Amino acid sequence: MGAFDQVVFDCARPSALARFWANALDGYHVRDYDPAEIARLARLGFTPETDPTVLVDGPGPSLCFQQVPSVDATRGRIHLDLAVSDCAREVARLSALGASIVRETSGYTVMQDPEGNRFCVVHER
């Protein structure tokens, strides 16, 4: 079975929205950028302020703010990531419960519940 890994927000400005939620929620903070991460971002042409994916950590699930070019009306702007040890087995189990596969990648599977709400099945970290 899966465990909550993170709640993912699709947004236009990840750093600004991450700061908002870090300040809105007790015990949450924007994940620090170490020198290696700053260097990685620089190689990609980004800074912490323009990072297309910003994480916020706290006492509950992490919050992930990811930049998307536009909001797709066919999907929600917030979705859950479920961390599992065996993605293929969990995808099969969830499919038997009524979920369906939207898209598979090498790192995660996008699924939707019986009412069309999307979520991702990801490998445990």
Side-chain angles (χ1 to χ4, degrees):
M1 290 201 166
F4 280 129
D5 183 43
Q6 56 190 1
V7 179
V8 181
F9 293 71
D10 290 347
C11 57
R13 296 179 29 230
S15 62
L17 196 55
R19 281 193 307 271
F20 168 83
W21 283 104
N23 287 308
L25 297 170
D26 186 31
Y28 278 81
H29 63 278
V30 174
R31 186 174 293 174
D32 291 331
Y33 288 88
D34 63 22
E37 180 62 7
I38 291 172
R40 185 190 73 79
L41 286 173
R43 285 191 302 275
L44 298 171
F46 298 113
T47 68
E49 188 59 31
T50 62
D51 187 353
T53 304
V54 179
L55 295 169
V56 172
D57 297 314
S62 292
L63 308 178
C64 174
F65 298 87
Q66 66 182 11
Q67 188 174 45
V68 295
S70 64
V71 176
D72 181 348
T74 63
R75 59 182 254 200
R77 293 184 63 186
I78 300 173
H79 70 266
L80 302 175
D81 280 1
L82 301 178
V84 300
S85 59
D86 184 334
C87 283
R89 185 172 59 209
E90 188 62 12
V91 166
R93 188 183 80 79
L94 293 167
S95 295
L97 292 173
S100 58
I101 297 171
V102 175
R103 182 177 74 249
E104 292 182 286
T105 73
S106 61
Y108 60 93
T109 300
V110 179
M111 301 189 76
Q112 61 185 17
D113 69 17
E115 291 196 9
N117 300 299
R118 292 190 182 186
F119 61 96
C120 293
V121 176
V122 302
H123 290 286
E124 289 177 332
R125 297 175 205 206

PDB file of all heavy atoms in Angstrom, residues 46-73:
ATOM      1  N   PHE A  46      18.571  28.463 -13.935  1.00  0.00           N
ATOM      2  CA  PHE A  46      17.620  28.877 -12.908  1.00  0.00           C
ATOM      3  C   PHE A  46      18.341  29.363 -11.657  1.00  0.00           C
ATOM      4  O   PHE A  46      19.522  29.102 -11.457  1.00  0.00           O
ATOM      5  CB  PHE A  46      16.700  27.714 -12.514  1.00  0.00           C
ATOM      6  CG  PHE A  46      15.843  27.197 -13.617  1.00  0.00           C
ATOM      7  CD1 PHE A  46      16.045  25.922 -14.135  1.00  0.00           C
ATOM      8  CD2 PHE A  46      14.826  27.971 -14.153  1.00  0.00           C
ATOM      9  CE1 PHE A  46      15.256  25.427 -15.157  1.00  0.00           C
ATOM     10  CE2 PHE A  46      14.025  27.483 -15.178  1.00  0.00           C
ATOM     11  CZ  PHE A  46      14.241  26.211 -15.677  1.00  0.00           C
ATOM     12  N   THR A  47      17.591  30.029 -10.801  1.00  0.00           N
ATOM     13  CA  THR A  47      18.025  30.425  -9.459  1.00  0.00           C
ATOM     14  C   THR A  47      16.977  29.876  -8.501  1.00  0.00           C
ATOM     15  O   THR A  47      15.916  29.415  -8.938  1.00  0.00           O
ATOM     16  CB  THR A  47      18.066  31.961  -9.328  1.00  0.00           C
ATOM     17  OG1 THR A  47      16.715  32.458  -9.393  1.00  0.00           O
ATOM     18  CG2 THR A  47      18.919  32.604 -10.412  1.00  0.00           C
ATOM     19  N   PRO A  48      17.215  29.947  -7.182  1.00  0.00           N
ATOM     20  CA  PRO A  48      16.157  29.525  -6.263  1.00  0.00           C
ATOM     21  C   PRO A  48      14.845  30.294  -6.488  1.00  0.00           C
ATOM     22  O   PRO A  48      13.764  29.725  -6.324  1.00  0.00           O
ATOM     23  CB  PRO A  48      16.755  29.809  -4.885  1.00  0.00           C
ATOM     24  CG  PRO A  48      18.218  29.581  -5.090  1.00  0.00           C
ATOM     25  CD  PRO A  48      18.486  30.172  -6.465  1.00  0.00           C
ATOM     26  N   GLU A  49      14.931  31.538  -6.902  1.00  0.00           N
ATOM     27  CA  GLU A  49      13.709  32.328  -7.143  1.00  0.00           C
ATOM     28  C   GLU A  49      12.979  31.891  -8.413  1.00  0.00           C
ATOM     29  O   GLU A  49      11.767  32.029  -8.511  1.00  0.00           O
ATOM     30  CB  GLU A  49      14.049  33.817  -7.212  1.00  0.00           C
ATOM     31  CG  GLU A  49      12.848  34.722  -7.270  1.00  0.00           C
ATOM     32  CD  GLU A  49      11.895  34.598  -6.079  1.00  0.00           C
ATOM     33  OE1 GLU A  49      12.334  34.300  -4.955  1.00  0.00           O
ATOM     34  OE2 GLU A  49      10.686  34.806  -6.285  1.00  0.00           O
ATOM     35  N   THR A  50      13.702  31.344  -9.393  1.00  0.00           N
ATOM     36  CA  THR A  50      13.068  30.924 -10.647  1.00  0.00           C
ATOM     37  C   THR A  50      12.985  29.400 -10.777  1.00  0.00           C
ATOM     38  O   THR A  50      12.599  28.894 -11.839  1.00  0.00           O
ATOM     39  CB  THR A  50      13.821  31.503 -11.863  1.00  0.00           C
ATOM     40  OG1 THR A  50      15.174  30.991 -11.867  1.00  0.00           O
ATOM     41  CG2 THR A  50      13.821  33.021 -11.845  1.00  0.00           C
ATOM     42  N   ASP A  51      13.327  28.681  -9.720  1.00  0.00           N
ATOM     43  CA  ASP A  51      13.283  27.227  -9.712  1.00  0.00           C
ATOM     44  C   ASP A  51      11.886  26.757 -10.117  1.00  0.00           C
ATOM     45  O   ASP A  51      10.887  27.193  -9.532  1.00  0.00           O
ATOM     46  CB  ASP A  51      13.632  26.727  -8.300  1.00  0.00           C
ATOM     47  CG  ASP A  51      13.784  25.219  -8.209  1.00  0.00           C
ATOM     48  OD1 ASP A  51      13.494  24.513  -9.195  1.00  0.00           O
ATOM     49  OD2 ASP A  51      14.189  24.752  -7.126  1.00  0.00           O
ATOM     50  N   PRO A  52      11.770  25.866 -11.111  1.00  0.00           N
ATOM     51  CA  PRO A  52      10.442  25.404 -11.529  1.00  0.00           C
ATOM     52  C   PRO A  52       9.802  24.393 -10.577  1.00  0.00           C
ATOM     53  O   PRO A  52       8.627  24.064 -10.724  1.00  0.00           O
ATOM     54  CB  PRO A  52      10.691  24.788 -12.900  1.00  0.00           C
ATOM     55  CG  PRO A  52      12.129  24.401 -12.893  1.00  0.00           C
ATOM     56  CD  PRO A  52      12.828  25.382 -11.996  1.00  0.00           C
ATOM     57  N   THR A  53      10.566  23.916  -9.596  1.00  0.00           N
ATOM     58  CA  THR A  53      10.026  22.977  -8.615  1.00  0.00           C
ATOM     59  C   THR A  53      10.580  23.351  -7.239  1.00  0.00           C
ATOM     60  O   THR A  53      11.775  23.223  -6.999  1.00  0.00           O
ATOM     61  CB  THR A  53      10.420  21.529  -8.949  1.00  0.00           C
ATOM     62  OG1 THR A  53       9.990  21.218 -10.273  1.00  0.00           O
ATOM     63  CG2 THR A  53       9.775  20.553  -7.984  1.00  0.00           C
ATOM     64  N   VAL A  54       9.697  23.797  -6.338  1.00  0.00           N
ATOM     65  CA  VAL A  54      10.108  24.231  -5.006  1.00  0.00           C
ATOM     66  C   VAL A  54       9.395  23.366  -3.968  1.00  0.00           C
ATOM     67  O   VAL A  54       8.178  23.167  -4.052  1.00  0.00           O
ATOM     68  CB  VAL A  54       9.788  25.724  -4.780  1.00  0.00           C
ATOM     69  CG1 VAL A  54      10.188  26.167  -3.387  1.00  0.00           C
ATOM     70  CG2 VAL A  54      10.478  26.580  -5.842  1.00  0.00           C
ATOM     71  N   LEU A  55      10.154  22.869  -2.998  1.00  0.00           N
ATOM     72  CA  LEU A  55       9.595  22.000  -1.968  1.00  0.00           C
ATOM     73  C   LEU A  55       9.480  22.717  -0.636  1.00  0.00           C
ATOM     74  O   LEU A  55      10.338  23.528  -0.275  1.00  0.00           O
ATOM     75  CB  LEU A  55      10.467  20.760  -1.812  1.00  0.00           C
ATOM     76  CG  LEU A  55      10.492  19.876  -3.059  1.00  0.00           C
ATOM     77  CD1 LEU A  55      11.558  18.820  -2.952  1.00  0.00           C
ATOM     78  CD2 LEU A  55       9.142  19.248  -3.287  1.00  0.00           C
ATOM     79  N   VAL A  56       8.410  22.390   0.082  1.00  0.00           N
ATOM     80  CA  VAL A  56       8.147  22.931   1.411  1.00  0.00           C
ATOM     81  C   VAL A  56       7.998  21.741   2.349  1.00  0.00           C
ATOM     82  O   VAL A  56       7.237  20.808   2.072  1.00  0.00           O
ATOM     83  CB  VAL A  56       6.871  23.807   1.405  1.00  0.00           C
ATOM     84  CG1 VAL A  56       6.489  24.212   2.814  1.00  0.00           C
ATOM     85  CG2 VAL A  56       7.066  25.027   0.519  1.00  0.00           C
ATOM     86  N   ASP A  57       8.760  21.748   3.443  1.00  0.00           N
ATOM     87  CA  ASP A  57       8.741  20.647   4.398  1.00  0.00           C
ATOM     88  C   ASP A  57       8.123  21.086   5.719  1.00  0.00           C
ATOM     89  O   ASP A  57       8.177  22.265   6.075  1.00  0.00           O
ATOM     90  CB  ASP A  57      10.173  20.161   4.662  1.00  0.00           C
ATOM     91  CG  ASP A  57      10.824  19.611   3.417  1.00  0.00           C
ATOM     92  OD1 ASP A  57      10.170  18.828   2.703  1.00  0.00           O
ATOM     93  OD2 ASP A  57      11.997  19.949   3.158  1.00  0.00           O
ATOM     94  N   GLY A  58       7.564  20.136   6.432  1.00  0.00           N
ATOM     95  CA  GLY A  58       6.963  20.408   7.731  1.00  0.00           C
ATOM     96  C   GLY A  58       6.611  19.126   8.429  1.00  0.00           C
ATOM     97  O   GLY A  58       7.100  18.052   8.069  1.00  0.00           O
ATOM     98  N   PRO A  59       5.728  19.213   9.410  1.00  0.00           N
ATOM     99  CA  PRO A  59       5.400  18.043  10.215  1.00  0.00           C
ATOM    100  C   PRO A  59       4.557  17.001   9.474  1.00  0.00           C
ATOM    101  O   PRO A  59       4.520  15.845   9.871  1.00  0.00           O
ATOM    102  CB  PRO A  59       4.638  18.624  11.405  1.00  0.00           C
ATOM    103  CG  PRO A  59       4.103  19.923  10.910  1.00  0.00           C
ATOM    104  CD  PRO A  59       5.089  20.430   9.905  1.00  0.00           C
ATOM    105  N   GLY A  60       3.909  17.381   8.403  1.00  0.00           N
ATOM    106  CA  GLY A  60       3.103  16.446   7.610  1.00  0.00           C
ATOM    107  C   GLY A  60       3.771  16.180   6.282  1.00  0.00           C
ATOM    108  O   GLY A  60       4.983  16.359   6.143  1.00  0.00           O
ATOM    109  N   PRO A  61       2.999  15.786   5.289  1.00  0.00           N
ATOM    110  CA  PRO A  61       3.577  15.530   3.969  1.00  0.00           C
ATOM    111  C   PRO A  61       4.267  16.781   3.418  1.00  0.00           C
ATOM    112  O   PRO A  61       3.863  17.905   3.702  1.00  0.00           O
ATOM    113  CB  PRO A  61       2.381  15.170   3.101  1.00  0.00           C
ATOM    114  CG  PRO A  61       1.289  14.820   4.034  1.00  0.00           C
ATOM    115  CD  PRO A  61       1.554  15.579   5.300  1.00  0.00           C
ATOM    116  N   SER A  62       5.306  16.569   2.630  1.00  0.00           N
ATOM    117  CA  SER A  62       5.950  17.692   1.947  1.00  0.00           C
ATOM    118  C   SER A  62       4.988  18.260   0.912  1.00  0.00           C
ATOM    119  O   SER A  62       4.131  17.554   0.386  1.00  0.00           O
ATOM    120  CB  SER A  62       7.223  17.227   1.237  1.00  0.00           C
ATOM    121  OG  SER A  62       8.198  16.849   2.167  1.00  0.00           O
ATOM    122  N   LEU A  63       5.154  19.537   0.625  1.00  0.00           N
ATOM    123  CA  LEU A  63       4.380  20.210  -0.415  1.00  0.00           C
ATOM    124  C   LEU A  63       5.334  20.494  -1.566  1.00  0.00           C
ATOM    125  O   LEU A  63       6.437  20.995  -1.350  1.00  0.00           O
ATOM    126  CB  LEU A  63       3.787  21.514   0.106  1.00  0.00           C
ATOM    127  CG  LEU A  63       2.985  21.426   1.400  1.00  0.00           C
ATOM    128  CD1 LEU A  63       2.504  22.809   1.820  1.00  0.00           C
ATOM    129  CD2 LEU A  63       1.812  20.470   1.249  1.00  0.00           C
ATOM    130  N   CYS A  64       4.919  20.168  -2.769  1.00  0.00           N
ATOM    131  CA  CYS A  64       5.735  20.380  -3.953  1.00  0.00           C
ATOM    132  C   CYS A  64       5.006  21.369  -4.860  1.00  0.00           C
ATOM    133  O   CYS A  64       3.849  21.154  -5.218  1.00  0.00           O
ATOM    134  CB  CYS A  64       5.948  19.060  -4.691  1.00  0.00           C
ATOM    135  SG  CYS A  64       6.794  19.233  -6.273  1.00  0.00           S
ATOM    136  N   PHE A  65       5.676  22.449  -5.214  1.00  0.00           N
ATOM    137  CA  PHE A  65       5.103  23.467  -6.083  1.00  0.00           C
ATOM    138  C   PHE A  65       5.823  23.375  -7.421  1.00  0.00           C
ATOM    139  O   PHE A  65       7.021  23.624  -7.494  1.00  0.00           O
ATOM    140  CB  PHE A  65       5.249  24.852  -5.445  1.00  0.00           C
ATOM    141  CG  PHE A  65       4.501  24.929  -4.152  1.00  0.00           C
ATOM    142  CD1 PHE A  65       5.095  24.529  -2.972  1.00  0.00           C
ATOM    143  CD2 PHE A  65       3.183  25.353  -4.123  1.00  0.00           C
ATOM    144  CE1 PHE A  65       4.399  24.559  -1.774  1.00  0.00           C
ATOM    145  CE2 PHE A  65       2.474  25.385  -2.928  1.00  0.00           C
ATOM    146  CZ  PHE A  65       3.084  24.986  -1.755  1.00  0.00           C
ATOM    147  N   GLN A  66       5.095  22.959  -8.475  1.00  0.00           N
ATOM    148  CA  GLN A  66       5.720  22.749  -9.777  1.00  0.00           C
ATOM    149  C   GLN A  66       5.117  23.681 -10.817  1.00  0.00           C
ATOM    150  O   GLN A  66       3.908  23.843 -10.894  1.00  0.00           O
ATOM    151  CB  GLN A  66       5.619  21.298 -10.221  1.00  0.00           C
ATOM    152  CG  GLN A  66       4.220  20.805 -10.495  1.00  0.00           C
ATOM    153  CD  GLN A  66       4.189  19.342 -10.889  1.00  0.00           C
ATOM    154  OE1 GLN A  66       5.180  18.622 -10.778  1.00  0.00           O
ATOM    155  NE2 GLN A  66       3.049  18.889 -11.356  1.00  0.00           N
ATOM    156  N   GLN A  67       6.007  24.274 -11.580  1.00  0.00           N
ATOM    157  CA  GLN A  67       5.586  25.227 -12.603  1.00  0.00           C
ATOM    158  C   GLN A  67       4.980  24.484 -13.787  1.00  0.00           C
ATOM    159  O   GLN A  67       5.540  23.494 -14.269  1.00  0.00           O
ATOM    160  CB  GLN A  67       6.793  26.045 -13.063  1.00  0.00           C
ATOM    161  CG  GLN A  67       6.438  27.173 -13.983  1.00  0.00           C
ATOM    162  CD  GLN A  67       7.669  28.021 -14.259  1.00  0.00           C
ATOM    163  OE1 GLN A  67       8.749  27.488 -14.516  1.00  0.00           O
ATOM    164  NE2 GLN A  67       7.507  29.314 -14.193  1.00  0.00           N
ATOM    165  N   VAL A  68       3.837  24.958 -14.221  1.00  0.00           N
ATOM    166  CA  VAL A  68       3.194  24.441 -15.428  1.00  0.00           C
ATOM    167  C   VAL A  68       2.876  25.630 -16.320  1.00  0.00           C
ATOM    168  O   VAL A  68       2.605  26.733 -15.834  1.00  0.00           O
ATOM    169  CB  VAL A  68       1.921  23.633 -15.109  1.00  0.00           C
ATOM    170  CG1 VAL A  68       2.244  22.381 -14.322  1.00  0.00           C
ATOM    171  CG2 VAL A  68       0.906  24.468 -14.368  1.00  0.00           C
ATOM    172  N   PRO A  69       2.925  25.434 -17.637  1.00  0.00           N
ATOM    173  CA  PRO A  69       2.696  26.565 -18.544  1.00  0.00           C
ATOM    174  C   PRO A  69       1.285  27.141 -18.451  1.00  0.00           C
ATOM    175  O   PRO A  69       1.088  28.332 -18.601  1.00  0.00           O
ATOM    176  CB  PRO A  69       2.979  25.992 -19.927  1.00  0.00           C
ATOM    177  CG  PRO A  69       3.041  24.523 -19.770  1.00  0.00           C
ATOM    178  CD  PRO A  69       3.242  24.209 -18.322  1.00  0.00           C
ATOM    179  N   SER A  70       0.312  26.286 -18.209  1.00  0.00           N
ATOM    180  CA  SER A  70      -1.068  26.753 -18.052  1.00  0.00           C
ATOM    181  C   SER A  70      -1.849  25.685 -17.318  1.00  0.00           C
ATOM    182  O   SER A  70      -1.474  24.513 -17.318  1.00  0.00           O
ATOM    183  CB  SER A  70      -1.713  27.041 -19.410  1.00  0.00           C
ATOM    184  OG  SER A  70      -1.803  25.851 -20.167  1.00  0.00           O
ATOM    185  N   VAL A  71      -2.922  26.096 -16.700  1.00  0.00           N
ATOM    186  CA  VAL A  71      -3.754  25.147 -15.963  1.00  0.00           C
ATOM    187  C   VAL A  71      -4.639  24.413 -16.957  1.00  0.00           C
ATOM    188  O   VAL A  71      -5.307  25.025 -17.777  1.00  0.00           O
ATOM    189  CB  VAL A  71      -4.600  25.879 -14.901  1.00  0.00           C
ATOM    190  CG1 VAL A  71      -5.538  24.912 -14.214  1.00  0.00           C
ATOM    191  CG2 VAL A  71      -3.693  26.551 -13.898  1.00  0.00           C
ATOM    192  N   ASP A  72      -4.628  23.109 -16.890  1.00  0.00           N
ATOM    193  CA  ASP A  72      -5.427  22.251 -17.752  1.00  0.00           C
ATOM    194  C   ASP A  72      -6.782  22.025 -17.085  1.00  0.00           C
ATOM    195  O   ASP A  72      -6.842  21.506 -15.970  1.00  0.00           O
ATOM    196  CB  ASP A  72      -4.680  20.933 -17.951  1.00  0.00           C
ATOM    197  CG  ASP A  72      -5.401  19.950 -18.852  1.00  0.00           C
ATOM    198  OD1 ASP A  72      -6.586  20.149 -19.172  1.00  0.00           O
ATOM    199  OD2 ASP A  72      -4.761  18.961 -19.235  1.00  0.00           O
ATOM    200  N   ALA A  73      -7.848  22.406 -17.760  1.00  0.00           N
ATOM    201  CA  ALA A  73      -9.184  22.293 -17.172  1.00  0.00           C
ATOM    202  C   ALA A  73      -9.596  20.847 -16.924  1.00  0.00           C
ATOM    203  O   ALA A  73     -10.516  20.589 -16.165  1.00  0.00           O
ATOM    204  CB  ALA A  73     -10.211  22.972 -18.070  1.00  0.00           C
TER     205      ALA A  73
END
